[in-house]
Amino acid sequence: MKKELYFTLENKNQCYGTLVEWWEKHKAFNGTAIPFESIPNRIFTVCRDGVELYKVAVYSTDSDMCWIGWITSNPHTTMKERYKSLEFLYDKISKYMSSIGFNILVSKTKQTGLMRTLDNTGFDNVEPLTNFYIKQI
């Protein structure tokens, strides 16, 4: 029986090393990690049974809009282990960001799986040629 999903909210000091390790394992960003200074302090992590499955950075702006960036899966887990966990996390991110005053959540992706997840969690693809998604929260 699968354990329940839960999420944590971390700052970049707590998880930057893990993100870099995961990016290296995924061979992301052509081998160059996103600089520490470019990562926001708000990193959402979804876990099941004590295992981190995804980390998602959320950038805030000086408007009512925030951005999802750097969706990173734990490379030491399987798709089966991660099943539906990103949808769960997007729901939690939406609720949390709404609770602190944001009204719009934005994401951009070219990956089919992430596009499906965005579609399944209430995002509207407002720019299909570039896959620019937006969600009122």
Side-chain angles (χ1 to χ4, degrees), residues 19-134:
L19 282 168
V20 170
E21 187 242 316
W22 289 4
W23 293 334
E24 287 173 356
K25 188 80 171 168
H26 283 300
K27 297 180 179 18
F29 311 118
N30 296 320
T32 303
I34 303 300
F36 179 82
E37 297 78 18
S38 298
I39 299 296
N41 266 327
R42 196 174 283 122
I43 311 293
F44 289 84
T45 302
V46 62
C47 305
R48 180 183 283 126
D49 199 22
V51 177
E52 295 179 332
L53 303 171
Y54 285 97
K55 289 189 178 293
V56 176
V58 177
Y59 290 85
S60 58
T61 68
D62 61 356
S63 69
D64 70 342
M65 186 182 304
C66 52
W67 296 74
I68 289 178
W70 322 126
I71 301 144
T72 309
S73 64
N74 180 343
H76 308 290
T77 60
T78 65
M79 286 179 57
K80 183 177 179 180
E81 290 171 312
R82 294 189 305 268
Y83 183 71
K84 296 286 185 182
S85 62
L86 194 54
E87 287 182 14
F88 170 87
L89 188 58
Y90 278 8
D91 178 63
K92 297 303 183 186
I93 290 170
S94 296
K95 288 176 180 167
Y96 179 86
M97 297 308 289
S98 177
S99 77
I100 61 171
F102 290 92
N103 296 311
I104 297 173
L105 185 57
V106 176
S107 186
K108 184 177 181 328
T109 186
K110 292 181 183 181
Q111 295 180 342
T112 305
L114 289 176
M115 291 167 60
R116 189 172 31 258
T117 297
L118 291 165
D119 288 333
N120 291 343
T121 55
F123 284 79
D124 296 315
N125 189 346
V126 297
E127 186 60 44
L129 295 177
T130 61
N131 297 319
F132 190 84
Y133 285 81
I134 190 167

